[in-house]
Amino acid sequence: MGSGARARGGAPSWGRLLVGALAAAALALVLAPVGVLMVRGVTQADVGAALASPFVRASMQLSLLTSAAALAFVVGLGTPAAYLLARTRFPGRGLVDALIDLPIVLPPVVGGLALLLTLGRRGPLGGALAWAGVDVAFTTAAVVAAQTFVALPFYVRAAKAGFQSVDRRLEAVSATLGARPWRTFRRVTVPLALPSLAGGAVVAWARALGEFGATIMFAGNAAGRTQTMPLAILDAMEADLNAAIAVAVVLAAVSLAVLVSFRLLARVGGRAL
Amino acid sequence: MIRIDCALTQGSFRLAPRLTVGTGVTVLFGESGAGKTLTLEAVAGLLTPDSGRITLDGRALFDAGQGLDVPPYERRLGYVVQNSALFPHLSVADNVAYGLFDLPRARRRRRVAELLRLLAIDDLADRKPARISGGQAQRAALARALARRPAALLLDEPFAALDEGAAAALRRELRRLVRDLGVPVLMVTHNLAEASYIGDRIAVMDDGQVLQEGERAEVLTRPRTARAARLLGIANVLAGQVVAARPAAVVRTAVGDLQSDRPAPPGGRAVQAALRADQIILTRPDRPTEPRPNMLTVEIQEEADFGHSLTLTARVLGAPADPAPTLEIQIAPHPYRVLGVAAHRRWRVHIPPEAVHVMPG
């Protein structure tokens, strides 16, 4: 080891200690509560029994169903939007690009209220739907709408970055090889953007799964119809804390899995390009 | 046959190539920024000109007058770019098969095998592009472009990113391939040696225009303008006045009167004389020679040794102009040694009349 390295390693300055201590505090702030939750879930609450209760099972089924439906909407609506934002120039593109991120910063409760005002019985869209005999507010469909609303920008962001990372010359070469735009999109653009698309989808799904504020405003908290897992935690807090902890542990575990898979996808993407 | 006559304005740059590409290789030669790649992209359909026409075998690919712009996927042109642009997620074989989606599977597999053999990359069929060399990638890109039996091939600096050995081998192979295929090839390069080796015809491009197009030897030895001469690497271009026009031009230049073997070009008396550095002959000043035209006395001031040749910068002595002009003289290492150029600074040089090319001023 060189003398310079020894000097630096041997005499830690107060500044370095302070930076280290603050970083440790930040880490603890994030990890400690989750750690405590996990430990209590494993040692005190009977997670297995709680998960078997009909009340918890219903919320889990509903969460899986609605978040899957929301993900389908997010991918179906978000992919064309992301492609247009990544590949075309149109007037107001910058504005659209910025505004599509709005649900990320908008308080979910505000989003839920806005959805209610729009799609509720007296709203401009909801009125028309009600006339046609379709009620959205306070139904399972409202849960899906709320989840789609909050999750969409997470996917669009990632997908847009993914499309932008695809070398346009590859698409040009594909065209000279006789491939129409749709074939080029399927055979070249999507496979090369796939790590980003999948990463965005995973994060968007996690956001939909954890959705609370917009859902409770727009869909309410009816067991079996609109009570997803986060809402079930709220209800369970009053009746059975162990059930609340059990559901929370499941959500926390899913979140960890999402984090890990997102990192893995990012690494696969980095290697592929 | 490809006929190009179109125009496109991008900011302050105006692209307006006019060019006919027949069977064999036509090299589009010029400095970077001359508009070579844009021209190729316009032919491929990746860029839409503002006006004009581009036709392939008489069929219009682009015609501004009729509002016609055939999309690239219907043009049946093979297109190869500098660093191959292989699809990174597909194997070499799948890259080559990419354009064959309308063939039944068995025929597609046969065609791919045939192409991989043709370009001597059959052992790489299952490799991903990241795991092959630049030269191999370029072979794969060429195979992919040939797979659909294109009506013409467009090559954009296909060897520029390769090391010299791989580039030389691939150039040889390309010449063989093109002879067998019998389709027009338009190849962009900024490398003069490559242009000379591969081109049956050379089109010199500068600032968006084709300055000159013609048979290789004609373009290389008889550039039409001083600008073309400079682009084609002719080091000595001297302004002058025609003092005798025919039967053979005599031009009064800063180094003295130079006699050509051809009549002066039509036009004014002001002309430019191009002297190729490799055609100027050194003779020892103490050796008696019979009187010949275009004899000058020079003094060597600088030498640059490029290995396969040396470039001498020599001041012309007793020239009418002041300061005395210099000439660039290129000489091979062997005559350089035999003549003992290193030991003598003062030489008589002879410029054969056929090496004096007179261009309009």
Side-chain angles (χ1 to χ4, degrees), chain A residues 169-181 183-184 187-188 191-192 272-273, chain B residues 44 46 72-74 77 79 81 83 85-90 98-99 101 144-145 148:
Chain A
R169 284 181 326 147
L170 295 176
E171 295 172 326
V173 166
S174 168
T176 67
L177 291 167
R180 288 167 177 278
R183 175 179 292 273
T184 296
R187 296 289 313 274
V188 177
L192 291 176
L273 298 174
Chain B
L46 303 171
Y73 47 86
E74 284 170 3
L77 296 165
Y79 182 62
V81 295
N83 25 16
L86 291 177
F87 302 122
H89 57 302
L90 300 179
Y98 186 87
F101 48 82
R144 179 177 65 176
R148 285 169 62 83

Side-chain angles (χ1 to χ4, degrees), chain B residues 1-318:
Chain B
M1 182 186 285
I2 309 171
R3 282 179 194 279
I4 307 163
D5 183 1
C6 64
L8 172 71
T9 303
Q10 276 190 350
S12 62
F13 181 71
R14 185 170 160 77
L15 179 76
R18 285 184 68 160
L19 181 63
T20 300
V21 183
T23 311
V25 181
T26 298
V27 164
L28 198 51
F29 171 78
E31 295 177 333
S32 52
K36 309 184 296 291
T37 294
L38 291 179
T39 302
L40 221 56
E41 287 177 350
V43 176
L46 303 171
L47 184 79
T48 305
D50 302 330
S51 61
R53 253 172 83 83
I54 299 170
T55 63
L56 172 65
D57 299 331
R59 169 174 73 98
L61 297 176
F62 172 77
D63 189 332
Q66 292 180 30
L68 176 79
D69 187 14
V70 177
Y73 47 86
E74 284 170 3
R75 292 197 177 193
R76 284 202 59 223
L77 296 165
Y79 182 62
V80 177
V81 295
Q82 180 173 338
N83 25 16
S84 82
L86 291 177
F87 302 122
H89 57 302
L90 300 179
S91 69
V92 168
D94 287 343
N95 263 281
V96 175
Y98 186 87
L100 300 174
F101 48 82
D102 40 11
L103 286 190
R105 177 179 294 223
R107 278 185 58 201
R108 182 166 57 211
R109 198 173 300 154
R110 269 206 307 280
R111 177 83 180 126
V112 169
E114 181 186 316
L115 285 158
L116 293 177
R117 251 196 327 277
L118 183 68
L119 282 142
I121 46 171
D122 22 4
D123 49 332
L124 306 174
D126 298 324
R127 295 253 201 111
K128 285 284 174 67
R131 313 252 346 260
I132 62 178
S133 73
Q136 292 166 338
Q138 221 43 316
R139 283 166 190 270
L142 209 52
R144 179 177 65 176
L146 292 173
R148 285 169 62 83
R149 305 187 194 280
L153 260 187
L154 308 172
L155 311 175
D156 192 355
E157 301 268 14
F159 312 120
L162 305 182
D163 55 66
E164 198 36 55
L170 209 47
R171 281 188 202 113
R172 262 198 308 279
E173 220 145 322
L174 181 69
R175 269 173 59 127
R176 172 179 64 84
L177 268 174
V178 167
R179 233 189 2 253
D180 297 348
L181 287 169
V183 299
V185 179
L186 181 57
M187 177 174 133
V188 162
T189 183
H190 66 270
N191 178 335
L192 184 59
E194 184 170 291
S196 317
Y197 175 70
I198 291 195
D200 298 308
R201 299 178 73 81
I202 295 180
V204 182
M205 196 154 186
D206 185 44
D207 197 24
Q209 313 258 340
V210 176
L211 290 184
Q212 181 174 2
E213 191 273 337
E215 210 185 303
R216 183 181 78 104
E218 171 75 14
V219 172
L220 289 175
T221 56
R222 316 208 81 83
R224 205 169 290 151
T225 62
R227 176 69 184 151
R230 290 228 168 71
L231 289 171
L232 291 164
I234 298 181
N236 306 302
V237 178
L238 305 167
Q241 298 281 323
V242 174
V243 292
R246 43 188 67 248
V250 177
V251 180
R252 185 151 296 161
T253 72
V255 302
D257 286 3
L258 294 174
Q259 190 181 318
S260 173
D261 65 332
R262 297 194 183 193
R269 267 166 44 88
V271 290
Q272 305 268 350
L275 318 173
R276 291 179 64 102
D278 56 349
Q279 290 180 330
I280 300 176
I281 299 160
L282 287 186
T283 56
R284 292 277 287 272
D286 47 342
R287 301 278 166 81
T289 51
E290 73 272 30
R292 288 191 287 191
N294 304 347
M295 293 295 293
L296 303 170
T297 305
V298 301
E299 188 175 65
I300 296 171
Q301 297 190 305
E302 265 176 53
E303 299 183 13
D305 186 348
F306 293 101
H308 53 80
S309 78
L310 293 101
T311 298
L312 314 174
T313 306
R315 193 175 56 196
V316 179
L317 302 179

Side-chain angles (χ1 to χ4, degrees), chain B residues 332-339:
Chain B
H334 183 67
Y336 179 87
R337 263 197 318 278
V338 172
L339 285 169

